[in-house]
Coordinates of all heavy atoms in Angstrom, one line a residue:
Q145 N -83.7 -62.8 -68.1 CA -83.9 -63.6 -69.4 C -84.2 -65.0 -69.1 O -83.5 -65.6 -68.3 CB -82.7 -63.4 -70.3 CG -82.5 -62.1 -70.9 CD -81.4 -62.0 -71.9 OE1 -80.3 -62.3 -71.5 NE2 -81.7 -61.7 -73.1
E146 N -85.2 -65.6 -69.7 CA -85.5 -67.0 -69.6 C -85.8 -67.5 -71.0 O -86.3 -66.8 -71.9 CB -86.8 -67.2 -68.8 CG -86.6 -66.8 -67.3 CD -87.8 -67.0 -66.5 OE1 -88.7 -67.8 -66.9 OE2 -87.9 -66.4 -65.4
L147 N -85.4 -68.8 -71.3 CA -85.6 -69.4 -72.6 C -87.1 -69.5 -72.9 O -87.9 -69.8 -72.0 CB -84.9 -70.7 -72.6 CG -83.4 -70.7 -72.5 CD1 -82.9 -72.2 -72.5 CD2 -82.8 -70.0 -73.7
D148 N -87.4 -69.3 -74.2 CA -88.8 -69.5 -74.6 C -89.8 -68.6 -73.9 O -91.0 -69.0 -73.7 CB -89.2 -71.0 -74.5 CG -88.3 -71.9 -75.3 OD1 -87.9 -71.5 -76.4 OD2 -88.1 -73.0 -74.8
T149 N -89.4 -67.5 -73.4 CA -90.3 -66.5 -72.8 C -90.2 -65.2 -73.5 O -89.1 -64.6 -73.7 CB -89.9 -66.3 -71.3 OG1 -89.9 -67.6 -70.6 CG2 -90.8 -65.4 -70.6
V150 N -91.3 -64.6 -73.8 CA -91.3 -63.3 -74.5 C -91.2 -62.2 -73.4 O -91.9 -62.2 -72.4 CB -92.7 -63.1 -75.3 CG1 -92.7 -61.7 -75.9 CG2 -92.8 -64.2 -76.3
P151 N -90.2 -61.3 -73.6 CA -90.0 -60.3 -72.6 C -91.3 -59.4 -72.5 O -92.0 -59.3 -73.5 CB -88.8 -59.5 -73.1 CG -88.1 -60.4 -74.0 CD -89.2 -61.3 -74.6
P152 N -91.5 -58.7 -71.4 CA -92.7 -57.9 -71.2 C -92.6 -56.7 -72.2 O -91.5 -56.3 -72.6 CB -92.6 -57.4 -69.8 CG -91.2 -57.6 -69.4 CD -90.7 -58.8 -70.1
V153 N -93.8 -56.2 -72.6 CA -93.9 -55.1 -73.5 C -93.6 -53.8 -72.8 O -94.2 -53.5 -71.7 CB -95.3 -55.1 -74.2 CG1 -95.4 -53.8 -75.1 CG2 -95.5 -56.4 -75.0
F154 N -92.8 -52.9 -73.4 CA -92.5 -51.6 -72.9 C -93.6 -50.7 -73.5 O -93.8 -50.6 -74.7 CB -91.1 -51.1 -73.3 CG -90.8 -49.8 -72.6 CD1 -90.3 -49.8 -71.3 CD2 -90.9 -48.6 -73.3 CE1 -90.0 -48.6 -70.7 CE2 -90.5 -47.4 -72.7 CZ -90.1 -47.4 -71.4
P155 N -94.3 -49.9 -72.6 CA -95.4 -49.1 -73.1 C -95.0 -48.0 -74.1 O -93.9 -47.5 -74.0 CB -96.0 -48.5 -71.8 CG -94.9 -48.6 -70.8 CD -94.1 -49.8 -71.2
N156 N -95.9 -47.6 -74.9 CA -95.7 -46.5 -75.9 C -96.1 -45.1 -75.5 O -95.6 -44.2 -76.1 CB -96.4 -46.9 -77.3 CG -95.6 -48.0 -78.0 OD1 -94.4 -47.9 -78.2 ND2 -96.3 -49.0 -78.5
S157 N -97.0 -45.0 -74.6 CA -97.7 -43.7 -74.4 C -97.2 -43.0 -73.1 O -97.9 -42.2 -72.6 CB -99.2 -43.9 -74.3 OG -99.5 -44.9 -73.3
L158 N -96.0 -43.3 -72.6 CA -95.5 -42.7 -71.4 C -95.1 -41.2 -71.6 O -94.6 -40.9 -72.7 CB -94.3 -43.5 -70.8 CG -94.6 -44.9 -70.3 CD1 -93.4 -45.5 -69.8 CD2 -95.7 -44.8 -69.2
K159 N -95.3 -40.4 -70.6 CA -94.8 -39.0 -70.6 C -93.9 -38.9 -69.5 O -94.3 -38.8 -68.3 CB -96.0 -38.1 -70.5 CG -97.1 -38.2 -71.6 CD -96.5 -37.8 -73.0 CE -97.7 -37.9 -74.0 NZ -97.1 -37.7 -75.4
L160 N -92.6 -38.7 -69.8 CA -91.6 -38.6 -68.8 C -90.8 -37.3 -69.1 O -89.7 -37.3 -69.6 CB -90.6 -39.8 -68.8 CG -91.2 -41.2 -68.5 CD1 -90.2 -42.3 -68.7 CD2 -91.9 -41.2 -67.2
P161 N -91.4 -36.2 -68.7 CA -90.8 -34.9 -69.1 C -89.4 -34.5 -68.6 O -88.7 -33.8 -69.2 CB -91.8 -33.8 -68.6 CG -92.5 -34.5 -67.5 CD -92.6 -36.0 -67.9
A162 N -89.0 -35.1 -67.4 CA -87.7 -34.8 -66.8 C -86.7 -35.9 -67.0 O -85.5 -35.7 -66.6 CB -87.9 -34.6 -65.3
L163 N -87.1 -37.0 -67.7 CA -86.1 -38.1 -67.8 C -85.0 -37.7 -68.8 O -85.2 -37.3 -69.9 CB -86.9 -39.3 -68.4 CG -86.1 -40.6 -68.4 CD1 -85.9 -41.1 -67.0 CD2 -86.8 -41.7 -69.2
T164 N -83.7 -37.9 -68.3 CA -82.6 -37.6 -69.1 C -81.8 -38.9 -69.5 O -81.1 -38.9 -70.6 CB -81.6 -36.7 -68.4 OG1 -81.2 -37.3 -67.2 CG2 -82.3 -35.3 -68.1
N165 N -81.9 -39.9 -68.7 CA -81.1 -41.2 -69.0 C -82.1 -42.4 -68.9 O -82.8 -42.6 -67.9 CB -80.0 -41.4 -68.0 CG -78.9 -40.3 -68.1 OD1 -78.0 -40.4 -69.0 ND2 -79.0 -39.3 -67.3
L166 N -82.1 -43.2 -69.9 CA -82.9 -44.4 -70.0 C -82.1 -45.6 -70.5 O -81.5 -45.5 -71.5 CB -84.1 -44.1 -70.9 CG -85.1 -45.4 -71.2 CD1 -85.7 -45.8 -69.9 CD2 -86.1 -45.0 -72.2
S167 N -82.2 -46.7 -69.7 CA -81.5 -47.9 -70.1 C -82.6 -49.0 -70.0 O -83.3 -49.2 -69.0 CB -80.4 -48.3 -69.1 OG -79.4 -47.3 -69.2
L168 N -82.7 -49.8 -71.1 CA -83.7 -50.9 -71.2 C -83.0 -52.2 -71.5 O -82.2 -52.2 -72.5 CB -84.8 -50.6 -72.2 CG -85.7 -49.4 -71.9 CD1 -86.6 -49.2 -73.1 CD2 -86.5 -49.6 -70.6
Y169 N -83.2 -53.2 -70.8 CA -82.6 -54.6 -71.0 C -83.8 -55.6 -71.1 O -84.5 -55.8 -70.2 CB -81.7 -55.0 -69.9 CG -80.5 -54.0 -69.6 CD1 -80.7 -52.9 -68.9 CD2 -79.2 -54.3 -70.1 CE1 -79.7 -52.0 -68.7 CE2 -78.2 -53.5 -69.8 CZ -78.4 -52.3 -69.1 OH -77.4 -51.5 -68.9
T170 N -83.8 -56.2 -72.3 CA -84.8 -57.3 -72.5 C -86.2 -56.9 -72.3 O -86.9 -57.4 -71.4 CB -84.4 -58.5 -71.6 OG1 -83.0 -58.7 -71.4 CG2 -85.0 -59.8 -72.2
F171 N -86.7 -56.0 -73.1 CA -88.1 -55.6 -73.2 C -88.5 -55.7 -74.6 O -87.7 -55.7 -75.6 CB -88.3 -54.2 -72.7 CG -88.5 -54.0 -71.2 CD1 -87.4 -53.9 -70.4 CD2 -89.7 -54.0 -70.7 CE1 -87.5 -53.8 -69.0 CE2 -89.9 -53.9 -69.3 CZ -88.8 -53.8 -68.5
T172 N -89.8 -55.9 -74.9 CA -90.3 -56.0 -76.2 C -90.9 -54.7 -76.6 O -91.7 -54.1 -75.8 CB -91.4 -57.1 -76.3 OG1 -90.8 -58.4 -75.9 CG2 -92.0 -57.2 -77.7
F173 N -90.7 -54.3 -77.8 CA -91.3 -53.1 -78.4 C -92.4 -53.5 -79.4 O -92.2 -54.4 -80.2 CB -90.3 -52.2 -79.2 CG -89.2 -51.7 -78.3 CD1 -87.9 -51.9 -78.6 CD2 -89.5 -50.9 -77.2 CE1 -86.9 -51.4 -77.8 CE2 -88.5 -50.4 -76.4 CZ -87.2 -50.6 -76.7
R174 N -93.6 -52.9 -79.2 CA -94.7 -53.3 -80.0 C -95.4 -52.0 -80.5 O -95.5 -51.0 -79.8 CB -95.7 -54.1 -79.2 CG -96.9 -54.7 -80.0 CD -97.7 -55.7 -79.2 NE -98.7 -56.3 -80.1 CZ -99.5 -57.3 -79.7 NH1 -99.5 -57.6 -78.4 NH2 -100.4 -57.8 -80.5
C175 N -95.9 -52.1 -81.8 CA -96.6 -51.0 -82.4 C -97.9 -50.7 -81.6 O -98.5 -51.6 -81.1 CB -96.9 -51.4 -83.8 SG -97.9 -50.1 -84.7
T176 N -98.2 -49.4 -81.5 CA -99.4 -49.0 -80.7 C -100.6 -49.6 -81.3 O -101.5 -50.1 -80.6 CB -99.5 -47.5 -80.7 OG1 -98.3 -46.9 -80.1 CG2 -100.7 -47.0 -79.8
N177 N -100.7 -49.6 -82.6 CA -101.9 -50.2 -83.3 C -101.6 -51.6 -83.6 O -100.8 -52.0 -84.5 CB -102.1 -49.4 -84.6 CG -103.4 -50.0 -85.3 OD1 -104.1 -50.9 -84.9 ND2 -103.7 -49.4 -86.5
E178 N -102.1 -52.5 -82.8 CA -101.8 -53.9 -82.9 C -102.3 -54.6 -84.2 O -101.8 -55.6 -84.6 CB -102.4 -54.7 -81.7 CG -101.9 -54.2 -80.3 CD -102.5 -55.0 -79.2 OE1 -103.3 -55.9 -79.4 OE2 -102.2 -54.6 -78.0
D179 N -103.2 -53.9 -84.9 CA -103.7 -54.4 -86.2 C -102.7 -54.0 -87.3 O -102.8 -54.6 -88.4 CB -105.1 -53.9 -86.5 CG -106.1 -54.3 -85.5 OD1 -105.9 -55.5 -85.0 OD2 -107.0 -53.6 -85.2
D180 N -101.8 -53.1 -87.1 CA -100.9 -52.7 -88.1 C -99.6 -53.4 -87.9 O -98.7 -53.1 -87.2 CB -100.6 -51.2 -87.9 CG -99.7 -50.6 -89.1 OD1 -99.4 -51.4 -90.0 OD2 -99.3 -49.4 -89.0
E181 N -99.4 -54.5 -88.7 CA -98.3 -55.4 -88.6 C -97.0 -54.8 -89.1 O -95.9 -55.2 -88.8 CB -98.6 -56.8 -89.2 CG -99.7 -57.6 -88.6 CD -99.8 -58.9 -89.2 OE1 -99.2 -59.1 -90.3 OE2 -100.6 -59.8 -88.7
D182 N -97.1 -53.8 -90.0 CA -95.9 -53.2 -90.5 C -95.6 -51.8 -89.9 O -94.8 -51.0 -90.4 CB -96.2 -52.9 -92.1 CG -96.3 -54.3 -92.8 OD1 -95.6 -55.2 -92.4 OD2 -97.1 -54.3 -93.7
G183 N -96.2 -51.5 -88.7 CA -96.1 -50.2 -88.1 C -94.8 -50.2 -87.3 O -94.0 -51.1 -87.2
Y184 N -94.6 -49.1 -86.6 CA -93.5 -48.8 -85.8 C -93.9 -48.5 -84.4 O -94.8 -47.8 -84.1 CB -92.6 -47.6 -86.3 CG -91.8 -47.9 -87.5 CD1 -92.3 -48.0 -88.8 CD2 -90.4 -48.2 -87.3 CE1 -91.5 -48.2 -89.9 CE2 -89.6 -48.5 -88.4 CZ -90.1 -48.5 -89.7 OH -89.4 -48.8 -90.8
A185 N -93.2 -49.2 -83.4 CA -93.4 -48.8 -82.0 C -92.7 -47.5 -81.8 O -91.6 -47.2 -82.3 CB -92.7 -49.9 -81.1
D186 N -93.4 -46.6 -81.0 CA -92.8 -45.2 -80.8 C -92.9 -45.0 -79.3 O -93.7 -44.2 -78.8 CB -93.7 -44.2 -81.6 CG -93.2 -42.8 -81.4 OD1 -92.0 -42.6 -80.9 OD2 -93.9 -41.9 -81.8
P187 N -91.9 -45.6 -78.5 CA -92.0 -45.5 -77.1 C -91.4 -44.3 -76.4 O -91.5 -44.0 -75.2 CB -91.3 -46.8 -76.6 CG -90.3 -47.1 -77.7 CD -90.9 -46.5 -78.9
F188 N -90.6 -43.5 -77.2 CA -89.7 -42.5 -76.6 C -90.1 -41.0 -76.9 O -89.5 -40.1 -76.4 CB -88.3 -42.7 -77.0 CG -87.8 -44.1 -76.8 CD1 -87.3 -44.8 -77.9 CD2 -87.8 -44.7 -75.6 CE1 -86.9 -46.1 -77.7 CE2 -87.4 -46.0 -75.4 CZ -86.9 -46.7 -76.5
S189 N -91.1 -40.8 -77.7 CA -91.5 -39.5 -78.2 C -92.0 -38.6 -77.0 O -92.0 -37.3 -77.2 CB -92.5 -39.5 -79.3 OG -93.7 -40.2 -78.9
G190 N -92.4 -39.2 -75.9 CA -92.9 -38.4 -74.8 C -91.8 -38.0 -73.8 O -92.1 -37.5 -72.7
F191 N -90.6 -38.3 -74.1 CA -89.5 -38.0 -73.2 C -88.8 -36.8 -73.7 O -87.8 -36.9 -74.4 CB -88.5 -39.2 -73.2 CG -89.1 -40.6 -72.8 CD1 -88.5 -41.7 -73.0 CD2 -90.4 -40.6 -72.3 CE1 -89.0 -43.0 -72.7 CE2 -91.0 -41.8 -72.0 CZ -90.3 -43.0 -72.2
Q192 N -89.2 -35.7 -73.3 CA -88.8 -34.4 -73.9 C -87.4 -34.0 -73.5 O -86.8 -33.2 -74.2 CB -89.8 -33.3 -73.4 CG -91.2 -33.5 -73.8 CD -92.1 -32.5 -73.2 OE1 -91.7 -31.7 -72.4 NE2 -93.4 -32.7 -73.4
S193 N -86.8 -34.5 -72.4 CA -85.5 -34.2 -72.0 C -84.5 -35.3 -72.2 O -83.3 -35.2 -71.7 CB -85.5 -33.7 -70.5 OG -86.4 -32.7 -70.3
L194 N -84.8 -36.3 -72.9 CA -84.0 -37.5 -73.0 C -82.6 -37.2 -73.6 O -82.6 -36.6 -74.7 CB -84.7 -38.6 -73.8 CG -84.0 -40.0 -73.8 CD1 -83.9 -40.6 -72.4 CD2 -84.7 -40.9 -74.7
N195 N -81.5 -37.5 -72.9 CA -80.2 -37.2 -73.4 C -79.4 -38.5 -73.8 O -78.7 -38.5 -74.8 CB -79.4 -36.5 -72.3 CG -78.0 -36.2 -72.7 OD1 -77.1 -37.0 -72.5 ND2 -77.8 -34.9 -73.2
T196 N -79.6 -39.6 -73.0 CA -78.9 -40.8 -73.3 C -79.9 -42.0 -73.3 O -80.7 -42.1 -72.4 CB -77.8 -41.0 -72.2 OG1 -76.9 -39.9 -72.1 CG2 -77.1 -42.3 -72.4
L197 N -79.8 -42.8 -74.3 CA -80.7 -43.9 -74.5 C -79.8 -45.2 -74.7 O -79.0 -45.2 -75.6 CB -81.7 -43.7 -75.6 CG -82.6 -44.9 -76.0 CD1 -83.5 -45.3 -74.8 CD2 -83.4 -44.6 -77.2
F198 N -80.0 -46.2 -73.9 CA -79.3 -47.4 -74.0 C -80.3 -48.6 -74.1 O -81.2 -48.7 -73.3 CB -78.5 -47.6 -72.7 CG -77.6 -48.9 -72.8 CD1 -76.2 -48.8 -73.1 CD2 -78.1 -50.1 -72.4 CE1 -75.4 -49.9 -73.1 CE2 -77.3 -51.2 -72.4 CZ -76.0 -51.1 -72.8
I199 N -80.2 -49.4 -75.2 CA -81.1 -50.5 -75.5 C -80.3 -51.7 -75.7 O -79.5 -51.8 -76.6 CB -82.0 -50.2 -76.7 CG1 -82.8 -48.9 -76.6 CG2 -82.9 -51.4 -77.0 CD1 -83.5 -48.5 -77.8
E200 N -80.6 -52.8 -74.9 CA -79.9 -54.0 -75.1 C -80.9 -55.2 -75.1 O -81.7 -55.3 -74.2 CB -78.9 -54.2 -74.0 CG -78.1 -55.5 -74.1 CD -77.0 -55.7 -73.1 OE1 -76.8 -54.8 -72.3 OE2 -76.4 -56.8 -73.0
S201 N -80.8 -56.0 -76.1 CA -81.6 -57.3 -76.2 C -83.1 -57.0 -76.1 O -83.8 -57.7 -75.4 CB -81.1 -58.3 -75.2 OG -79.8 -58.6 -75.3
C202 N -83.5 -56.0 -76.8 CA -85.0 -55.7 -76.8 C -85.6 -56.0 -78.1 O -85.4 -55.3 -79.1 CB -85.2 -54.2 -76.5 SG -84.7 -53.7 -74.8
P203 N -86.3 -57.1 -78.2 CA -86.8 -57.6 -79.5 C -88.0 -56.8 -80.0 O -88.7 -56.1 -79.1 CB -87.2 -59.0 -79.3 CG -87.5 -59.1 -77.8 CD -86.6 -58.1 -77.2
L204 N -88.4 -56.9 -81.2 CA -89.6 -56.3 -81.8 C -90.7 -57.4 -81.6 O -90.3 -58.6 -81.6 CB -89.4 -55.9 -83.2 CG -88.4 -54.8 -83.4 CD1 -88.1 -54.7 -84.9 CD2 -88.9 -53.5 -82.8
F205 N -91.9 -57.0 -81.6 CA -93.0 -58.0 -81.4 C -93.1 -59.0 -82.5 O -93.3 -60.2 -82.3 CB -94.3 -57.3 -81.2 CG -95.5 -58.2 -80.8 CD1 -95.6 -58.7 -79.5 CD2 -96.4 -58.6 -81.8 CE1 -96.6 -59.5 -79.2 CE2 -97.5 -59.4 -81.4 CZ -97.5 -59.9 -80.1
N206 N -92.8 -58.6 -83.7 CA -92.7 -59.5 -84.9 C -91.7 -58.9 -85.9 O -91.3 -57.7 -85.8 CB -94.1 -59.8 -85.5 CG -94.7 -58.5 -86.1 OD1 -94.2 -57.8 -86.9 ND2 -96.0 -58.3 -85.6
D207 N -91.4 -59.7 -86.9 CA -90.3 -59.3 -87.8 C -90.8 -58.1 -88.7 O -89.9 -57.5 -89.4 CB -89.9 -60.5 -88.7 CG -89.1 -61.5 -87.8 OD1 -88.6 -61.1 -86.7 OD2 -89.0 -62.6 -88.2
K208 N -92.1 -57.9 -88.8 CA -92.6 -56.9 -89.8 C -92.6 -55.5 -89.1 O -92.7 -54.5 -89.8 CB -94.0 -57.2 -90.2 CG -94.0 -58.5 -91.1 CD -95.4 -58.8 -91.6 CE -95.5 -60.0 -92.5 NZ -96.8 -60.3 -93.0
E209 N -92.6 -55.5 -87.8 CA -92.7 -54.2 -87.1 C -91.3 -53.6 -87.0 O -90.3 -54.3 -87.3 CB -93.3 -54.4 -85.7 CG -94.7 -54.7 -85.7 CD -95.3 -54.8 -84.3 OE1 -94.6 -54.5 -83.3 OE2 -96.5 -55.1 -84.1
G210 N -91.2 -52.3 -86.6 CA -90.0 -51.6 -86.4 C -90.0 -50.8 -85.2 O -91.0 -50.6 -84.5
L211 N -88.8 -50.2 -84.9 CA -88.7 -49.3 -83.7 C -88.4 -47.9 -84.2 O -87.5 -47.6 -85.0 CB -87.6 -49.7 -82.8 CG -87.2 -48.8 -81.7 CD1 -88.4 -48.7 -80.7 CD2 -86.0 -49.4 -80.9
F212 N -89.2 -46.9 -83.8 CA -89.1 -45.5 -84.1 C -88.5 -44.8 -82.9 O -89.1 -44.7 -81.9 CB -90.4 -44.9 -84.6 CG -90.3 -43.5 -85.0 CD1 -89.2 -43.0 -85.7 CD2 -91.3 -42.6 -84.7 CE1 -89.1 -41.7 -86.0 CE2 -91.2 -41.2 -85.0 CZ -90.1 -40.8 -85.7
I213 N -87.3 -44.2 -83.1 CA -86.7 -43.5 -82.0 C -86.7 -42.0 -82.3 O -86.1 -41.6 -83.3 CB -85.2 -43.9 -81.8 CG1 -85.1 -45.4 -81.4 CG2 -84.5 -43.1 -80.7 CD1 -83.7 -46.0 -81.3

Side-chain angles (χ1 to χ4, degrees):
Q145 287 184 301
E146 297 181 17
L147 295 176
D148 302 324
T149 303
V150 178
V153 175
F154 187 79
N156 280 315
S157 57
L158 292 178
K159 302 295 182 183
L160 302 174
L163 190 71
T164 58
N165 293 279
L166 175 62
S167 298
L168 296 175
Y169 301 79
T170 324
F171 276 84
T172 299
F173 296 122
R174 186 173 188 178
C175 179
T176 304
N177 184 0
E178 298 181 4
D179 296 328
D180 185 4
E181 294 184 348
D182 297 323
Y184 281 81
D186 182 13
F188 311 120
S189 57
F191 307 166
Q192 302 170 1
S193 303
L194 190 61
N195 179 274
T196 302
L197 176 60
F198 184 100
I199 301 171
E200 180 175 354
S201 302
C202 292
L204 300 168
F205 188 74
N206 61 55
D207 291 340
K208 295 183 179 180
E209 292 186 3
L211 175 64
F212 181 37
I213 300 175

